[in-house]
Amino acid sequence: MSGSKSRAKKKASTPSDLSPDNLPLRSSGRQVRKKASEAIEDEEDFLEKKYRKCEKAGCTATCPVCFASAAERCAKNGYTSRWYHLSCGEHFCNECFDHYYRSHKDGYDIYCSWKRIWTSNGKSEPSPKAFMADQQLPYWVQCTKPECGKWRQLTKEIQLTMQMAKTYRCGMKLNNVLKRVSEVSTQPWYAMLILPPLLKDSPAAPLLAAYYPDCVGMSPSCTNTNRLHGENKLEQSRETPSNPGINPYFQPFYQPNECGKALCVRPDVMELDELYEFPEYSRDPTMYLAMRNLILALWHINCKEVLTLQTCAHHIMVRGLVRIRCVQEMEKVLYFMTRKGLVNTAVLSVSPGQYLLPKEYHNKSVIVVGAGSAGLAAARQLHNFGLQVMILEARDRIGGRVWDDKSFKGVTVGKGAQIVNGCINNPIAIMCEQTGIKMRKLREKCDLIQEGGRLTDPNIDKRMDFHFNAILDVVAEWRKDKSQHQDAPLGDKIQEIYKTFVQESGIQFADVEEKVLQFHLSNLEYACGSNLHNVKSINYSGQEICVTANGKIYSAQKVLVTVPLALLQKNIIHFTPPLPEKKVKAINCLGAGIIEKIGLQFPYRFWNNKINGADFFGHIPPDSSKRGLFAVFYDMDPQGKHAVLMSVITGDAVTFIEDMDDKQVVKQCMVVLKEMFKEQDVPNPMKYFVTHWSKDPWAQMAYSFVKTGGSGEAYDILAEDIQGKIFFAGEVRN
């Protein structure tokens, strides 16, 4: 039409426009321009028929290529009526779409089989695009040669395995094709990704069987993510471990409807600090969850070696260019998890040049105040990060309140911390696993012996234990009541509830039952380290922080304070400027509990005649005033080779023995033992020790508890840093 309109205009031109001088030249120029225009239009028409651009707005692919090649009439890099977009660089043609989606096509049964498994196992929609991403996209693998590192696309028939990812080198005959992949690392490319990556054969799968796989970053099409046992899988898991071999104390993921475990994460939700660190995943966290869950699983499967980026990358099994993106992002996620202390922690040995964090951290310096367990662990971790660390300790030994006595032949007895309460995800459990030390679970049996040596009927103990726990439940509910404006000492509240219960129920407890209740109260005092009723300076005013100790001044960019709470309460360390009022208030909202220990080695195991199959036995106190005096005796060698007992002094009993010497305390203990085993001769101990933590100038406590009027929030406030300069760990992090 445009050509005919142009010719019509020429015929209508006036004679005055066609002078003899310029007629041939102008006519020739118009003809050239006309032919050029027609040629361009013809070429565009040809290209329109041969090529079609991706209809996805923002897609940078000018000439899409079908990766599927499934249909006989696959468009390849030619014309198709529609391109289906998975990412900028990954498209499939309408012919291949029809091949799987149309019921009369050969690929329809394959698609339906996959769809049935996906629907029964997953939560997301089993769309054709999801099928193509999960089953048809080619894998990408990176050359492991240090001087290369190029990414190669495998042919569609080749299944990527962890072993191949570990060993692949350019030049291997895998019909690979080199492609430009720099665009994958950009945010626009990620923004144009239609579907998030769902990992196959993730090591996290055995730990997350209670979740929909696609809600925690895993593909529902693999065997190891099957939530319905007995269902045949379309794509069988190639390297699923039959037994992940994880220590039962390692539980990095919450199970559905679970809460309240330490160092545990929801596998299907990003935590607040994760959202702050990785805001780009706030809209769809699937990729982040896939990587984070994989990292946590790998660490808890093998915590004896440093978890490296390479190890993580080899376990990323996902089709398409997004695997490149996952490997690139994995480094940031691994560094974050390491900084957070969830992986690569405890007693790992890291050689220089293989530090856990990048070089920008290596020029920082830190002073750790206190060489107790927290200070030593923190110093080691900071050193593994690559930081310059100095430890200041007031004692002539390390360990703080973790202090073992090895003077007893064949048996080590802890003068301080020894029993691990709450083993799940406890850092001590990690350290034991790393060092090959086995944790022995204490058996629940605890025979209760009365004055005169009589064993208490177990039914009485069970009954009173039930009543005692019921009282604690009432106390807990009372504490939750926001209308209560006044707090009360725990001992007073227990006594109040107990009296009310007796009055309203009409139950009268026997004398022995009252004494058993006092035994349970003594155990509560043991847990609190208290009666139920109750380095010299750090200057951080400048750029560098100055710590004064032993007449010397030490400087660093950061300081980590790990001293016991009692020392902070007594202002043993002078801070300049003073600690914020909020932190001082929190310090004083907590109590510094005291317990003491006594260890005794005997010539033979005299208690075996009465106590069998138990790791400890209890002493029923004659009255409430003596309930914390040697209430429990621990058999330090239940295998029966050595005769060593350890007992504790808690509550008011600590004050009772405070001014006694060791011999006097041992004498008091022997009076109790001889009364408990009255029917036989009890030998005198060959060796013994008695602790005096209350008089230790650098401890003055055992562990902390929440005082009357305080709350557990005080621990969170104590854990807060000051101006990004002063940090706190150890007792204040309880």
Side-chain angles (χ1 to χ4, degrees), residues 155-214:
T155 57
K156 192 174 67 171
E157 296 76 20
I158 297 178
Q159 297 285 333
L160 180 63
T161 65
M162 186 178 68
Q163 186 60 29
M164 184 187 298
K166 281 182 178 180
T167 59
Y168 177 79
R169 290 176 170 240
C170 289
M172 296 176 69
K173 296 180 180 179
L174 295 174
N175 299 321
N176 51 65
V177 180
L178 179 63
K179 286 194 174 182
R180 185 172 176 268
V181 296
S182 59
E183 187 183 6
V184 175
S185 61
T186 65
Q187 188 57 31
W189 185 91
Y190 178 69
M192 294 296 294
L193 186 66
I194 293 296
L195 298 169
L198 297 174
L199 303 186
K200 299 175 183 290
D201 303 331
S202 173
L207 303 176
L208 302 176
Y211 289 90
Y212 287 106
D214 41 347

Coordinates of all heavy atoms in Angstrom, one line a residue, residues 155-214:
T155 N 24.6 -31.7 28.4 CA 23.5 -32.0 27.5 C 22.4 -32.5 28.4 O 22.6 -32.9 29.6 CB 23.9 -33.1 26.6 OG1 24.4 -34.3 27.3 CG2 25.0 -32.7 25.6
K156 N 21.2 -32.5 27.9 CA 20.0 -32.7 28.7 C 20.0 -34.2 29.3 O 19.4 -34.4 30.3 CB 18.7 -32.5 27.8 CG 17.4 -32.5 28.7 CD 16.2 -32.1 27.8 CE 15.9 -33.1 26.8 NZ 14.6 -32.9 26.1
E157 N 20.6 -35.1 28.6 CA 20.6 -36.5 29.0 C 21.5 -36.7 30.2 O 21.3 -37.7 30.9 CB 21.0 -37.4 27.9 CG 20.1 -37.4 26.7 CD 20.3 -36.1 25.8 OE1 21.3 -35.5 25.9 OE2 19.3 -35.8 25.1
I158 N 22.5 -35.8 30.5 CA 23.4 -36.1 31.6 C 22.9 -35.6 32.9 O 22.4 -34.4 33.0 CB 24.8 -35.3 31.3 CG1 25.4 -35.9 30.0 CG2 25.7 -35.5 32.4 CD1 26.7 -35.3 29.6
Q159 N 22.9 -36.5 33.9 CA 22.4 -36.1 35.2 C 23.6 -35.7 36.1 O 24.6 -36.4 36.2 CB 21.8 -37.4 35.9 CG 20.5 -37.9 35.2 CD 19.3 -37.0 35.5 OE1 19.3 -36.3 36.5 NE2 18.4 -36.9 34.5
L160 N 23.5 -34.5 36.6 CA 24.6 -34.0 37.4 C 24.6 -34.7 38.8 O 23.5 -34.9 39.4 CB 24.5 -32.5 37.7 CG 25.5 -31.8 38.5 CD1 26.9 -31.9 37.9 CD2 25.2 -30.4 38.8
T161 N 25.8 -35.2 39.2 CA 25.9 -35.8 40.5 C 26.9 -35.0 41.4 O 27.7 -34.2 40.9 CB 26.4 -37.3 40.4 OG1 27.7 -37.3 39.9 CG2 25.5 -38.1 39.5
M162 N 26.9 -35.3 42.7 CA 27.8 -34.6 43.5 C 29.3 -35.0 43.2 O 30.1 -34.1 43.2 CB 27.5 -35.0 45.0 CG 28.4 -34.2 46.0 SD 28.0 -34.7 47.7 CE 28.6 -36.3 47.8
Q163 N 29.5 -36.2 42.8 CA 30.8 -36.6 42.4 C 31.3 -35.9 41.2 O 32.4 -35.5 41.1 CB 30.9 -38.1 42.2 CG 32.3 -38.7 41.9 CD 33.2 -38.5 43.1 OE1 32.8 -38.4 44.2 NE2 34.5 -38.3 42.7
M164 N 30.4 -35.7 40.2 CA 30.7 -35.0 39.0 C 31.0 -33.5 39.3 O 32.0 -33.0 38.8 CB 29.6 -35.1 37.9 CG 29.9 -34.4 36.6 SD 28.5 -34.4 35.5 CE 28.2 -36.1 35.3
A165 N 30.2 -32.9 40.2 CA 30.4 -31.5 40.5 C 31.8 -31.4 41.2 O 32.4 -30.3 41.1 CB 29.3 -31.1 41.5
K166 N 32.2 -32.4 41.9 CA 33.5 -32.3 42.6 C 34.7 -32.4 41.7 O 35.8 -31.8 41.9 CB 33.6 -33.5 43.7 CG 32.9 -33.3 45.0 CD 33.2 -34.5 45.9 CE 32.5 -34.3 47.2 NZ 32.8 -35.4 48.1
T167 N 34.5 -33.2 40.6 CA 35.7 -33.6 39.8 C 35.7 -33.0 38.4 O 36.7 -33.2 37.6 CB 35.8 -35.1 39.7 OG1 34.6 -35.6 39.1 CG2 36.0 -35.7 41.1
Y168 N 34.6 -32.4 37.9 CA 34.5 -31.9 36.5 C 35.6 -31.0 36.1 O 35.9 -30.0 36.9 CB 33.1 -31.3 36.3 CG 33.0 -30.8 34.8 CD1 32.7 -31.7 33.8 CD2 33.2 -29.4 34.6 CE1 32.6 -31.2 32.5 CE2 33.1 -29.0 33.3 CZ 32.8 -29.9 32.2 OH 32.8 -29.4 30.9
R169 N 36.2 -31.2 35.0 CA 37.2 -30.3 34.4 C 36.9 -30.1 32.9 O 36.5 -31.0 32.2 CB 38.6 -30.9 34.6 CG 39.1 -30.9 36.0 CD 40.5 -31.6 36.1 NE 41.0 -31.3 37.5 CZ 42.1 -30.7 37.7 NH1 42.9 -30.2 36.7 NH2 42.5 -30.5 39.0
C170 N 37.2 -28.9 32.5 CA 37.0 -28.6 31.1 C 37.8 -29.6 30.2 O 38.9 -29.9 30.6 CB 37.4 -27.2 30.8 SG 36.2 -25.9 31.5
G171 N 37.2 -30.0 29.1 CA 37.9 -31.0 28.3 C 37.4 -32.4 28.4 O 37.7 -33.2 27.5
M172 N 36.7 -32.6 29.5 CA 36.0 -33.9 29.6 C 35.0 -34.1 28.5 O 34.2 -33.1 28.2 CB 35.4 -34.1 31.0 CG 36.4 -34.1 32.1 SD 35.7 -34.1 33.8 CE 35.0 -35.8 33.8
K173 N 34.9 -35.2 27.9 CA 34.0 -35.4 26.7 C 32.5 -35.6 27.2 O 32.0 -36.7 27.3 CB 34.4 -36.6 25.9 CG 35.8 -36.4 25.3 CD 36.3 -37.6 24.5 CE 37.6 -37.3 23.9 NZ 38.1 -38.5 23.1
L174 N 31.9 -34.4 27.5 CA 30.5 -34.5 27.9 C 29.6 -33.7 27.0 O 28.5 -33.3 27.4 CB 30.4 -33.9 29.4 CG 31.1 -34.8 30.4 CD1 31.1 -34.1 31.8 CD2 30.5 -36.2 30.6
N175 N 30.1 -33.4 25.8 CA 29.3 -32.7 24.8 C 28.8 -31.4 25.4 O 27.7 -30.9 25.2 CB 28.0 -33.5 24.3 CG 28.4 -34.8 23.7 OD1 29.4 -34.8 22.9 ND2 27.7 -35.9 23.9
N176 N 29.7 -30.7 26.1 CA 29.3 -29.5 26.7 C 29.5 -28.3 25.8 O 30.2 -28.3 24.8 CB 30.1 -29.2 28.0 CG 31.6 -29.4 27.7 OD1 32.2 -28.6 27.0 ND2 32.3 -30.4 28.3
V177 N 28.8 -27.2 26.2 CA 28.8 -26.0 25.4 C 29.1 -24.8 26.3 O 28.5 -24.7 27.4 CB 27.4 -25.8 24.7 CG1 27.4 -24.5 23.9 CG2 27.1 -26.9 23.8
L178 N 30.1 -24.0 26.0 CA 30.4 -22.9 26.8 C 29.5 -21.7 26.5 O 29.2 -21.4 25.3 CB 31.9 -22.4 26.5 CG 32.3 -21.2 27.3 CD1 32.4 -21.5 28.8 CD2 33.7 -20.8 26.8
K179 N 28.9 -21.1 27.5 CA 28.0 -20.0 27.3 C 28.4 -18.8 28.2 O 29.0 -19.0 29.3 CB 26.6 -20.4 27.6 CG 26.0 -21.2 26.5 CD 24.5 -21.3 26.7 CE 23.8 -22.1 25.5 NZ 22.3 -22.1 25.7
R180 N 28.0 -17.7 27.8 CA 28.3 -16.5 28.7 C 27.3 -16.4 29.8 O 26.1 -16.4 29.5 CB 28.2 -15.2 27.8 CG 28.6 -13.9 28.5 CD 28.6 -12.8 27.4 NE 28.9 -11.5 28.1 CZ 28.0 -10.7 28.5 NH1 26.7 -11.1 28.3 NH2 28.3 -9.6 29.0
V181 N 27.8 -16.4 31.0 CA 26.9 -16.5 32.2 C 27.0 -15.3 33.1 O 26.5 -15.3 34.2 CB 27.1 -17.8 33.0 CG1 26.8 -19.0 32.1 CG2 28.6 -17.9 33.5
S182 N 27.7 -14.3 32.7 CA 28.0 -13.2 33.6 C 26.7 -12.5 34.0 O 26.6 -11.9 35.1 CB 28.9 -12.1 33.0 OG 28.4 -11.6 31.8
E183 N 25.7 -12.5 33.2 CA 24.4 -11.8 33.4 C 23.7 -12.5 34.6 O 22.9 -11.8 35.3 CB 23.5 -11.9 32.2 CG 22.2 -11.1 32.3 CD 21.3 -11.2 31.1 OE1 21.7 -12.0 30.2 OE2 20.3 -10.5 31.0
V184 N 24.0 -13.8 34.9 CA 23.2 -14.5 36.0 C 23.5 -13.8 37.3 O 22.6 -13.9 38.2 CB 23.7 -16.0 36.0 CG1 23.1 -16.7 37.1 CG2 23.3 -16.6 34.6
S185 N 24.6 -13.2 37.5 CA 25.0 -12.7 38.8 C 24.3 -11.3 39.1 O 24.4 -10.8 40.2 CB 26.5 -12.5 39.0 OG 27.0 -11.6 38.0
T186 N 23.6 -10.8 38.1 CA 23.0 -9.5 38.3 C 21.6 -9.6 38.9 O 20.9 -10.6 38.8 CB 22.9 -8.7 37.0 OG1 22.0 -9.4 36.1 CG2 24.3 -8.6 36.3
Q187 N 21.2 -8.5 39.6 CA 19.9 -8.5 40.2 C 18.8 -8.5 39.2 O 17.7 -9.1 39.4 CB 19.8 -7.2 41.1 CG 18.5 -7.2 42.0 CD 18.3 -8.4 42.9 OE1 19.3 -9.0 43.3 NE2 17.1 -8.8 43.1
P188 N 18.9 -7.8 38.0 CA 17.8 -7.8 37.0 C 17.6 -9.3 36.5 O 16.4 -9.6 36.3 CB 18.4 -6.9 35.9 CG 19.3 -6.0 36.6 CD 19.9 -6.7 37.7
W189 N 18.7 -10.1 36.4 CA 18.4 -11.4 35.9 C 17.6 -12.2 37.0 O 16.7 -12.9 36.6 CB 19.8 -12.1 35.7 CG 19.6 -13.5 35.2 CD1 19.6 -13.9 33.9 CD2 19.4 -14.8 35.9 NE1 19.4 -15.3 33.8 CE2 19.3 -15.8 35.0 CE3 19.3 -15.0 37.3 CZ2 19.1 -17.1 35.4 CZ3 19.1 -16.4 37.7 CH2 19.0 -17.4 36.7
Y190 N 18.0 -12.0 38.3 CA 17.2 -12.7 39.3 C 15.8 -12.3 39.4 O 14.9 -13.0 39.6 CB 17.9 -12.5 40.7 CG 17.2 -13.1 41.8 CD1 17.1 -14.5 42.0 CD2 16.5 -12.4 42.8 CE1 16.5 -15.1 43.0 CE2 15.8 -12.9 43.8 CZ 15.8 -14.3 43.9 OH 15.1 -14.9 45.0
A191 N 15.6 -11.0 39.1 CA 14.2 -10.4 39.1 C 13.4 -11.0 38.0 O 12.1 -11.1 38.1 CB 14.2 -8.9 39.0
M192 N 14.0 -11.4 36.9 CA 13.3 -12.0 35.8 C 13.1 -13.5 35.9 O 12.6 -14.2 35.0 CB 14.0 -11.6 34.5 CG 14.0 -10.2 34.2 SD 12.3 -9.5 33.9 CE 11.9 -10.4 32.4
L193 N 13.6 -14.1 37.0 CA 13.5 -15.6 37.2 C 12.0 -15.9 37.5 O 11.5 -15.4 38.5 CB 14.4 -16.0 38.3 CG 14.6 -17.5 38.5 CD1 15.2 -18.2 37.3 CD2 15.4 -17.8 39.8
I194 N 11.4 -16.8 36.8 CA 10.0 -17.1 36.9 C 9.8 -18.0 38.2 O 8.8 -17.7 38.9 CB 9.4 -17.8 35.7 CG1 9.4 -16.8 34.5 CG2 8.0 -18.3 35.9 CD1 8.5 -15.6 34.7
L195 N 10.6 -19.0 38.3 CA 10.4 -19.9 39.4 C 11.6 -20.0 40.3 O 12.8 -20.0 39.8 CB 10.1 -21.3 38.9 CG 8.8 -21.5 38.0 CD1 8.8 -22.8 37.3 CD2 7.6 -21.3 38.9
P196 N 11.5 -20.1 41.6 CA 12.7 -20.2 42.5 C 13.3 -21.6 42.4 O 12.6 -22.5 42.0 CB 12.1 -19.9 43.9 CG 10.7 -20.4 43.8 CD 10.2 -20.1 42.4
P197 N 14.6 -21.7 42.7 CA 15.2 -23.1 42.6 C 14.7 -24.0 43.7 O 14.6 -23.6 44.9 CB 16.7 -22.7 42.7 CG 16.7 -21.5 43.6 CD 15.5 -20.7 43.1
L198 N 14.4 -25.2 43.3 CA 14.1 -26.3 44.3 C 15.1 -27.4 44.2 O 15.2 -28.0 43.1 CB 12.7 -26.8 44.0 CG 11.5 -25.7 44.2 CD1 10.2 -26.3 43.7 CD2 11.5 -25.2 45.6
L199 N 15.9 -27.6 45.2 CA 17.0 -28.5 45.2 C 16.6 -29.9 45.2 O 15.6 -30.3 45.8 CB 17.9 -28.2 46.4 CG 18.5 -26.8 46.6 CD1 19.5 -26.8 47.7 CD2 19.1 -26.3 45.3
K200 N 17.4 -30.7 44.4 CA 17.2 -32.2 44.4 C 18.3 -32.8 45.3 O 19.4 -32.3 45.4 CB 17.3 -32.7 43.0 CG 16.3 -32.2 42.0 CD 16.6 -32.7 40.6 CE 15.7 -32.1 39.6 NZ 14.3 -32.6 39.7
D201 N 17.9 -33.9 46.0 CA 18.8 -34.6 46.8 C 19.5 -33.8 47.9 O 20.6 -34.0 48.2 CB 19.9 -35.3 46.0 CG 19.3 -36.2 44.9 OD1 18.2 -36.7 45.1 OD2 19.9 -36.3 43.8
S202 N 18.7 -32.8 48.5 CA 19.3 -32.0 49.5 C 19.6 -32.8 50.8 O 18.8 -33.6 51.2 CB 18.4 -30.9 49.9 OG 18.8 -30.1 51.0
P203 N 20.8 -32.6 51.4 CA 21.1 -33.3 52.7 C 20.1 -33.0 53.8 O 20.0 -33.7 54.8 CB 22.5 -32.8 53.0 CG 23.1 -32.3 51.7 CD 21.9 -31.8 50.9
A204 N 19.4 -31.9 53.6 CA 18.4 -31.5 54.6 C 17.1 -32.3 54.6 O 16.3 -32.3 55.5 CB 18.1 -30.0 54.5
A205 N 16.9 -33.0 53.5 CA 15.6 -33.7 53.3 C 15.3 -34.7 54.4 O 14.1 -34.7 54.9 CB 15.6 -34.5 51.9
P206 N 16.2 -35.5 54.9 CA 15.8 -36.4 56.0 C 15.4 -35.7 57.3 O 14.6 -36.3 58.1 CB 17.1 -37.3 56.3 CG 17.8 -37.2 55.0 CD 17.6 -35.8 54.5
L207 N 15.8 -34.5 57.5 CA 15.5 -33.7 58.7 C 14.2 -32.9 58.5 O 13.7 -32.4 59.5 CB 16.6 -32.7 59.0 CG 18.0 -33.3 59.2 CD1 19.0 -32.2 59.4 CD2 18.0 -34.3 60.3
L208 N 13.7 -32.9 57.3 CA 12.5 -32.0 57.0 C 11.4 -32.8 56.4 O 10.6 -32.2 55.7 CB 12.9 -30.9 56.1 CG 14.1 -30.0 56.6 CD1 14.4 -28.9 55.5 CD2 13.7 -29.3 57.9
A209 N 11.3 -34.0 56.8 CA 10.2 -34.9 56.2 C 8.8 -34.5 56.6 O 7.9 -34.8 55.9 CB 10.4 -36.3 56.6
A210 N 8.7 -33.7 57.6 CA 7.3 -33.2 58.1 C 6.8 -32.0 57.3 O 5.7 -31.6 57.5 CB 7.4 -33.0 59.6
Y211 N 7.7 -31.4 56.5 CA 7.3 -30.2 55.7 C 7.1 -30.5 54.2 O 7.6 -31.5 53.7 CB 8.5 -29.2 55.8 CG 8.6 -28.6 57.2 CD1 9.4 -29.1 58.1 CD2 7.9 -27.4 57.5 CE1 9.6 -28.6 59.4 CE2 8.1 -26.8 58.8 CZ 8.9 -27.4 59.7 OH 9.0 -26.8 60.9
Y212 N 6.3 -29.7 53.6 CA 6.2 -29.8 52.1 C 7.6 -29.4 51.6 O 8.1 -28.3 51.9 CB 5.2 -28.8 51.6 CG 3.7 -29.2 51.9 CD1 3.0 -28.6 52.8 CD2 3.2 -30.2 51.1 CE1 1.6 -29.0 53.1 CE2 1.8 -30.6 51.3 CZ 1.1 -30.0 52.3 OH -0.2 -30.4 52.5
P213 N 8.1 -30.2 50.7 CA 9.5 -29.9 50.2 C 9.6 -28.6 49.6 O 10.6 -27.9 49.8 CB 9.7 -31.1 49.2 CG 8.8 -32.2 49.6 CD 7.6 -31.5 50.2
D214 N 8.6 -28.2 48.7 CA 8.8 -26.9 48.0 C 8.6 -25.7 49.0 O 8.8 -24.6 48.5 CB 7.8 -26.8 46.9 CG 6.4 -27.4 47.2 OD1 6.3 -28.1 48.2 OD2 5.5 -27.2 46.5

